[in-house]
Amino acid sequence: MTKKKNKNNKKKHLIKRPKKIQVRRENKINNNQFQDNAAPVIVQHKKYLPKSLRGMEDILPEEGKYWDFVLQKAQDLAEDYGFKKIETPVLEERVLFEKSTGMTTEVVEKQMYQFTDRGQNQVALRPEFTPSMVRAYIEHGMFSLSQPIKLFCFGPLFRYERPQSGRLRQFHQINLEVLGSDKPVSDAQVILFCKTFFEVLGIKVSIQINSLGCSECRKVYRSKLINYFKSKRNRLCPDCQKRLIRNPLRILDCKQEGCKDLITDAPQIVDSLCENCHSHFVKVLECLDEAEVAYELNPFLVRGLDYYTRTVFEILPIRTEVVAIKKDSKLEEKKEGENKEPLPADKQVEVAPVIPSMSALGGGGRYDNLVGELSGRETPALGVAFGVERIIEELKYQNIRISKERAPKIFLAQLGELAMRRSLKLLEDLRKEGFRVAENLAKDSLRAQLEMANKIGVKLTLILGQQEMSDKTIIFRDMSSGNQETIDQEKMIKELRKRI
Ligand code: HAM
């Protein structure tokens, strides 16, 4: 009897469990937790095709020249203007952004990538640089250094937005901050940087500027706005109806047609500025005039981040678009979808400057209270950030030719096992001497290598074969004439310096 019972029990244990549960059980440790390094649960998918996340893009090699061009220009200019490079972590405490960018902003409320890490810390992927710059300024006691502190940085940022042209979930900014100056001339200098930067890139832009005043000015303006929109409440979009209660200034940022119509006649903040803020704004504009920076006053520019005070500005591209096409010697208005070329191909068209909406290449402003709010030490500050992907898109749209990469002028071709191995060291020697040399060591055929050299457009191809290996020589082939010369390897560098 007992024997039979035992047998049945044994059989029960032999019943196969689903694989997933089996693996989990093996990984369980005493305190009911799963081990970090436990073997993963293997769930069989039909076929896994790797792909990047929505709104997060690879930067492919052919894009590299655009990135190098924009970053190099930005870095050179930032250094000229006295900015010092800084890098901060991609991940920060979530509360940093809640307290600086603002709890009621779209960025924090709807777009922040936030999670609890393995140590139960509430963290966020940075959606913008400014809070991290301020955190670093406070944490490293930069108050005690000579003011203002000028910081420059570049890197990826994350916002869970609806991806579309020029709007990504992972994007890159070039960011500049000036901490420790309340002088209007600092505002003008940052805006002058923007003008110069886009001039250097060759992109035509419009600089739009406004003042948001201080908290006192905004209190007055807020009640004027509420009074104005209250009677038109039903004509506002549902989001703006909520904004009317929580943050009426945000209504001015709304892109819905109905709201945009109402905004045109809304009160302007400039009429609510206190004496000090008004005087600051006038001085900024005077400095800009003096520096010959063209700008447009935009009374409804509010920016979407909570920390701004006084000066705010945005940089928008100016595109040249075809508005009419000449047909049978008559100019006819361009129809939808007709002649989609970004620039006119000939004179058979009439063009006009157009500022595309929702396409700011950069934006910034003053944030005189933020450092004080986070550290208790009043420190006026301001800054600007540029969207790198949008700048590159604009370079392409405006057909701007960018200077070529440092292209190789020499190709090293090799023939035979010994020459191929020797080429490794030879390439190193040439690189150390400052020559950029193209090669394809993986190809055996000399013909294929010469074809590649031709395609790259090098001036000279060095050919190393069995014969040259034993003679300690190398062949110089002039790619335009096809003439070949044999040179002693010892004299190679000297000869290259003469010819390249
Ligand atoms: P922002 O206006 O939020 O300002 O962003 C600056 C620029 O980053 C925008 O003008 C745009 O070119 C680019 N950008 C923003 N979001 C995206 C996106 N989802 N995809 C692609 N590009 C985007 C700030 O971030 C402030 N921290 C600027 C600042 C610095 N203010 C003071 N100091």
Side-chain angles (χ1 to χ4, degrees), residues 43-49:
V43 182
Q44 288 286 327
H45 290 279
K46 264 193 211 143
K47 190 170 180 191
Y48 171 64
L49 266 183

Side-chain angles (χ1 to χ4, degrees), residues 128 130 159 161 166 168 173 177 303 307-308 360-362 383-384 387:
E128 55 149 342
T130 310
R159 294 184 191 176
E161 299 206 58
L168 296 162
Q173 279 184 355
E177 309 290 351
R303 311 264 304 128
Y307 46 66
Y308 287 119
L361 301 178
V384 63

Side-chain angles (χ1 to χ4, degrees), residues 449-466:
Q449 292 179 68
L450 287 177
E451 271 171 15
M452 190 174 169
N454 232 341
K455 209 165 156 194
I456 297 172
V458 294
K459 199 171 168 208
L460 207 68
T461 296
L462 310 178
I463 304 171
L464 191 64
Q466 305 285 51

Side-chain angles (χ1 to χ4, degrees), residues 140-154:
H140 302 288
M142 294 189 212
F143 308 99
S144 56
L145 306 174
S146 165
Q147 306 291 300
I149 300 290
K150 292 174 155 189
L151 302 174
F152 160 79
C153 60
F154 158 78

Side-chain angles (χ1 to χ4, degrees), residues 164-182:
Q164 51 187 288
S165 162
R167 183 167 289 175
L168 296 162
R169 289 185 176 166
Q170 178 176 329
F171 61 99
H172 296 74
Q173 279 184 355
I174 290 160
N175 185 84
L176 296 117
E177 309 290 351
V178 179
L179 297 118
S181 167
D182 62 356

Side-chain angles (χ1 to χ4, degrees), residues 413-426:
Q414 36 71 40
L415 198 62
E417 183 71 23
L418 276 181
M420 190 237 290
R421 271 194 260 146
R422 168 83 179 101
S423 295
L424 269 184
K425 172 78 170 54
L426 199 60

